[in-house]
Amino acid sequence: MASEIIPQESLENTFGSNVFSEAVMRTRLPKATFKALKKTIDEGLPLDPTVADIVANTMKDWAIEKGATHFTHWFQPMTGITAEKHDSFISPTSDGKIIVEFSGKELIKGEPDASSFPSGGLRSTFEARGYTAWDCTSPAFYKNNTLYIPTAFCSYTGEALDKKTPLLRSMQALSKQAVRILRAFGNTTATKVTTTVGPEQEYFVIDKKLYEKRKDLILTGRTLFGSKPPKGQELEDHYFGILKERIAAFMLEVDQELWKLGVLSKTKHNEVAPAQHELAPIFTTTNIATDHNQLVMETLKKVANRHGLVALLHEKPFAGVNGSGKHNNWSMASNDGQNLLEPGKTPHDNEQFLVFLAAVLEAVDEYADVLRVSAANPGNDHRLGANEAPPAIISAFLGEQLTDILEQIENGGAKSSKSGGELKLGVTTLPALPKDATDRNRTSPFAFTGNKFEFRMVASSASIAEPNTALNTIVAETLSRVADRLEKAKDVDAEAQAIVKEIIKKHKRIIFNGNNYAEEWLVEAEKRGLPNIKSTVAAISALITDKTVKLYEKHGVLTKEELHSRYEIYLENYIKVINIEALTALDMSKREILPASLEFAGTVASEIAAIKSAGSKSSAAEKLLAELTATIDSFGKNIEALEASLAGGHSTSVFKHAEYHRDVVFTAMAALRIDGDKLETLVDERVWPLPTYADLLFRV
Ligand code: ADP
Ligand code: MG
């Protein structure tokens, strides 16, 4: 299977074959309908309802030819995963038969019961109505005999109950401000600026049979016990290593499924940790990239299952082993074909680029807390600020060339751009390589990488909607400030230079090109006054500060009520996740680890008795028994402590309740783990009930 060769032609035909794409629409829709729809998609104009009827009918015919019997509005509630409710295309007729039907109304609007989705107090459960609204900017697709229609999800009163609505609003907000700046620079062609994203997805793949023996993986997505294996990632032999045949076959099938859905899956490789991999698509419009990333996560899981494997998307499935993240590559593109973060050959005299760059830096510094919370979830607490990449402190890497230019600007004016030159390898048959103007920095949470920023804090299991909503909104804000000034300026170039200079002076503390993992950086960052927000619970407060509310309301992205609802939802989610982890840890402790350890201690005790009655003695066995019983005792006490912790902490404040779970329950769970992991190293592997880290990571 792994070596199956796909002919080029079939590759080209496969790609997007299950997408109701622009090409499909162009050939199937009447010209006028296509034009009207295209105007809505490209220029953001409201959709004419008569157009919807024709589109719906055409979509239905197309989907039925593929084998569809149902359609579903596909949406992204606050659970972070997608939701769907399937309806069949059938409609009864008066003579007891059916006709196959799909109306514009059904395409545009759906009414899933909203009461069982998290709303964070935006609605009571007795108010069940919720609406989904067709998002025509993300193409419909066919999968599993069903036509999927991407939609936004809101309450009866119009508040966003999902992650897509604010994302779309933030894209609109950024476009508006960016176009103002382009206009100020004399651009008359661009009418829209979209943000683009290429999310690199990290994940682990393990054997399903072993997975099924681990309640912690099944119920929480991560291992709650497991001592460090004799071999980890220290040999650095996994990164970019040869793909195992089984993994290669799985990856090929993932690619093929994704290609059919129009996902531009491009790069795949082994990551740093054993059993860890990465998939990166080619970038696209943020909204579509967000939908596609959901499809990527879903496809990884589904296809893994077919191969007797399990894909783990959790941020930290294995303690002491590299965790997973999502690298959110982000830029801004105008509809007249410019990447607004493309520095060009001589960035020092590229005023427009420098203005956009400066605005991003200002946004990242001023709203570091808004960005930080967009990457916060309980899983990511094990990465960010917990001895792993990247730290919880937000800083931006610019590299040598741009840092030099900004320094020149700060000291008067920029006269030159350092170039990378050529790299000669000293072998005449090897080509001279043009060198990038800047080396890379793998440790920065927010790195400029040539013509885009790479936001590396994003959680591997989370939707990328949130980080991009945050990024778009904070940049829309700083762009609006720049636009206000440029629009009033007599000499736009001089004003642009002044703006960039001011921003650099004020926000240069956010630039850090060094090693973000070094201890010294923590000290230096504190000196610079950069926030170091270590936990999800602490980060969440940023959602409801006056400053954040003002920001989101000004740009029409989220209202105060919507922000408060999100605040509640995330805190409640945090509490629930920790609670489930604690209950799972207790279950495994009491019903697996403790019985196995006691059984083994009993065996050792009878061995000792047997040896003694034979007139000998074994100090090794006695030492082992002593260590076993001591650890079992301590383990038992820690079980009680964790149980007791779960009984406490009730508070009328959801924030206090969450803090309690972080400080007390989580800590008790960590203490229990230490003894549990020690027992693993003491107990006979023939009676140990759980597959070990070595089994999970190396037996794929
Ligand atoms: P690396 O792992 O070296 O960072 P990859 O090739 O794995 O690089 O991923 C880079 C990602 O950045 C890809 O998804 C790519 O499509 C994306 N990207 C490139 N240019 C842009 C851009 N202008 N806007 C958004 N994403 C981009
Ligand atoms: Mg990367």
Side-chain angles (χ1 to χ4, degrees):
M1 270 258 289
S3 55
E4 187 185 328
I5 294 165
I6 311 162
Q8 182 181 338
E9 195 187 78
S10 104
L11 196 58
E12 281 165 8
N13 290 336
T14 302
F15 186 82
S17 58
N18 286 342
V19 184
F20 192 70
S21 61
E22 190 176 318
V24 175
M25 290 192 270
R26 185 178 293 117
T27 50
R28 289 189 173 236
L29 289 174
K31 235 193 181 108
T33 312
F34 175 72
K35 263 194 167 156
L37 181 59
K38 190 87 172 86
K39 252 192 146 48
T40 300
I41 296 171
D42 292 345
E43 295 167 34
L45 297 181
L47 189 81
D48 179 345
T50 57
V51 169
D53 266 327
I54 308 174
V55 178
N57 198 44
T58 313
M59 244 186 212
K60 174 209 72 192
D61 290 346
W62 171 83
I64 283 177
E65 279 168 36
K66 302 226 159 257
T69 52
H70 289 69
F71 69 92
T72 181
H73 277 202
W74 186 62
F75 55 105
Q76 307 180 18
M78 296 306 296
T79 52
I81 51 173
T82 59
E84 43 193 77
K85 174 181 166 228
H86 296 222
D87 279 298
S88 76
F89 287 121
I90 64 167
S91 264
T93 55
S94 56
D95 57 353
K97 295 200 164 151
I98 56 133
I99 50 163
V100 170
E101 233 178 15
F102 185 47
S103 68
K105 230 174 89 197
E106 287 170 302
L107 167 64
I108 288 180
K109 183 175 146 209
E111 274 192 54
D113 187 323
S115 57
S116 297
F117 290 108
S119 81
L122 270 184
R123 47 177 309 107
S124 325
T125 26
F126 62 88
E127 303 165 324
R129 226 184 257 283
Y131 297 115
T132 49
W134 178 33
D135 168 22
C136 65
T137 62
S138 180
F141 53 92
Y142 167 81
K143 187 169 71 100
N144 301 341
N145 303 95
T146 306
L147 170 66
Y148 278 76
I149 300 151
T151 55
F153 180 43
C154 67
S155 73
Y156 183 65
T157 40
E159 282 108 357
L161 293 177
D162 69 346
K163 307 212 171 197
K164 185 189 268 273
T165 309
L167 178 67
L168 290 172
R169 292 175 185 160
S170 74
M171 290 175 71
Q172 207 170 291
L174 183 135
S175 177
K176 185 171 156 200
Q177 304 305 334
V179 168
R180 285 176 67 200
I181 292 179
L182 294 178
R183 285 281 175 283
F185 276 115
N187 178 314
T188 54
T189 46
T191 53
K192 189 176 159 187
V193 169
T194 39
T195 51
T196 52
V197 165
E200 302 164 54
Q201 175 75 47
E202 291 181 335
Y203 61 95
F204 281 81
V205 171
I206 60 167
D207 192 278
K208 193 172 174 208
K209 286 202 206 74
L210 298 173
Y211 166 88
E212 278 169 348
K213 293 193 183 129
R214 302 255 350 188
K215 279 183 204 154
D216 46 6
L217 284 175
I218 295 172
L219 298 175
T220 73
R222 75 179 180 101
T223 52
L224 300 172
F225 294 97
S227 68
K228 228 171 129 35
K231 178 180 190 277
Q233 61 199 48
E234 58 277 78
L235 293 179
E236 300 179 326
D237 53 356
H238 187 72
Y239 192 51
F240 283 5
I242 296 168
L243 298 178
K244 286 183 184 156
E245 227 168 85
R246 191 172 173 203
I247 298 296
F250 149 75
M251 284 181 170
L252 179 66
E253 202 173 313
V254 167
D255 276 344
Q256 285 173 339
E257 293 261 322
L258 290 176
W259 290 335
K260 279 190 229 157
L261 294 169
V263 179
L264 285 155
S265 178
K266 173 82 172 167
T267 317
K268 52 188 180 188
H269 61 78
N270 286 351
E271 259 301 328
V272 174
Q276 192 186 27
H277 311 279
E278 180 187 294
L279 181 155
I282 295 174
F283 72 94
T284 177
T285 311
T286 306
N287 176 30
I288 297 176
T290 303
D291 287 356
H292 281 181
N293 183 250
Q294 292 285 2
L295 291 174
V296 165
M297 292 194 285
E298 184 188 313
T299 306
L300 286 170
K301 284 191 179 156
K302 197 173 70 184
V303 175
N305 190 38
R306 283 185 212 145
H307 288 251
L309 299 164
V310 175
L312 303 175
L313 298 173
H314 193 281
E315 290 71 23
K316 193 76 174 176
F318 306 100
V321 176
N322 249 43
S324 297
K326 210 143 22 191
H327 292 173
N328 191 82
N329 295 274
W330 176 94
S331 190
M332 296 169 273
S334 62
N335 63 346
D336 64 354
Q338 303 178 65
N339 174 354
L340 302 180
L341 289 179
E342 171 59 59
K345 282 218 163 55
T346 53
H348 72 279
D349 59 15
N350 188 345
E351 215 62 71
Q352 183 185 301
F353 162 74
L354 290 171
V355 157
F356 278 99
L357 178 74
V360 174
L361 293 175
E362 179 178 9
V364 172
D365 186 23
E366 191 169 329
Y367 295 104
D369 58 341
V370 173
L371 212 47
R372 172 67 182 84
V373 66
S374 80
N377 76 4
N380 232 2
D381 277 6
H382 299 274
R383 294 174 69 229
L384 309 177
N387 306 319
E388 212 197 290
I393 306 162
I394 295 196
S395 66
F397 168 84
L398 285 186
E400 209 184 323
Q401 187 193 44
L402 291 182
T403 307
D404 173 61
I405 291 171
L406 296 184
E407 271 165 13
Q408 291 183 50
I409 293 173
E410 195 193 346
N411 298 323
K415 305 232 155 34
S416 63
S417 304
K418 286 186 181 173
S419 86
E422 266 190 355
L423 201 63
K424 300 221 170 63
L425 296 177
V427 180
T428 51
T429 51
L430 291 177
L433 302 175
K435 205 173 137 191
D436 290 301
T438 293
D439 197 1
R440 310 241 272 171
N441 179 322
R442 277 179 56 94
T443 68
S444 174
F446 199 81
F448 188 75
T449 48
N451 57 5
K452 61 185 187 291
F453 274 101
E454 187 171 340
F455 183 31
R456 300 203 180 104
M457 279 184 164
V458 178
S460 57
S461 69
S463 159
I464 58 167
E466 234 120 14
N468 287 296
T469 302
L471 205 44
N472 294 345
T473 310
I474 62 176
V475 175
E477 168 56 23
T478 51
L479 289 178
S480 80
R481 296 175 195 170
V482 174
D484 288 347
R485 285 181 60 176
L486 290 184
E487 281 170 356
K488 283 194 214 108
K490 289 206 182 69
D491 180 345
V492 170
D493 274 343
E495 183 70 354
Q497 276 176 36
I499 292 171
V500 174
K501 192 170 168 179
E502 277 170 40
I503 292 180
I504 297 320
K505 271 205 151 68
K506 195 160 163 213
H507 298 285
K508 66 180 173 195
R509 64 170 189 170
I510 198 72
I511 302 169
F512 180 61
N513 292 334
N515 180 4
N516 284 256
Y517 302 170
E519 282 294 322
E520 300 89 80
W521 170 231
L522 298 183
V523 181
E524 164 72 17
E526 201 182 328
K527 251 194 244 151
R528 294 190 191 185
L530 298 176
N532 183 0
I533 307 168
K534 288 195 181 125
S535 72
T536 292
V537 177
I540 286 173
S541 301
L543 284 174
I544 53 166
T545 62
D546 290 345
K547 192 174 161 195
T548 306
V549 171
K550 209 170 137 211
L551 165 80
Y552 276 105
E553 289 204 326
K554 173 176 168 189
H555 295 281
V557 176
L558 286 165
T559 62
K560 186 173 178 186
E561 290 70 34
E562 288 169 332
L563 283 161
H564 275 264
S565 107
R566 270 148 225 257
Y567 170 85
E568 298 268 327
I569 289 170
Y570 295 139
L571 286 172
E572 272 163 16
N573 177 259
Y574 181 83
I575 295 166
K576 284 179 196 155
V577 168
I578 302 302
N579 210 44
I580 293 170
E581 288 186 350
L583 290 172
T584 309
L586 282 172
D587 183 281
M588 291 169 75
S589 298
K590 293 192 338 198
R591 300 179 58 218
E592 295 182 301
I593 298 177
L594 192 57
S597 303
L598 286 170
E599 181 188 333
F600 182 57
T603 311
V604 177
S606 12
E607 290 295 334
I608 292 171
I611 294 168
K612 271 197 183 141
S613 71
S616 318
K617 74 183 253 210
S618 163
S619 61
E622 277 171 22
K623 225 173 125 195
L624 173 60
L625 184 61
E627 204 175 354
L628 265 173
T629 40
T631 314
I632 289 171
D633 270 355
S634 170
F635 188 61
K637 286 196 187 99
N638 279 320
I639 289 177
E640 281 171 30
L642 180 56
E643 270 173 341
S645 81
L646 280 176
H650 300 290
S651 165
T652 44
S653 147
V654 61
F655 183 77
K656 287 232 164 65
H657 198 195
E659 268 190 330
Y660 175 84
H661 275 73
R662 179 194 63 191
D663 298 337
V664 181
V665 180
F666 187 84
T667 311
M669 208 161 51
L672 178 63
R673 176 176 186 147
I674 294 173
D675 287 331
D677 289 359
K678 181 154 181 217
L679 287 171
E680 184 190 319
T681 66
L682 298 174
V683 173
D684 186 341
E685 67 177 358
R686 288 166 298 186
V687 295
W688 189 252
L690 306 168
T692 62
Y693 271 23
D695 296 330
L696 294 166
L697 292 167
F698 294 99
R699 290 169 73 180
V700 193

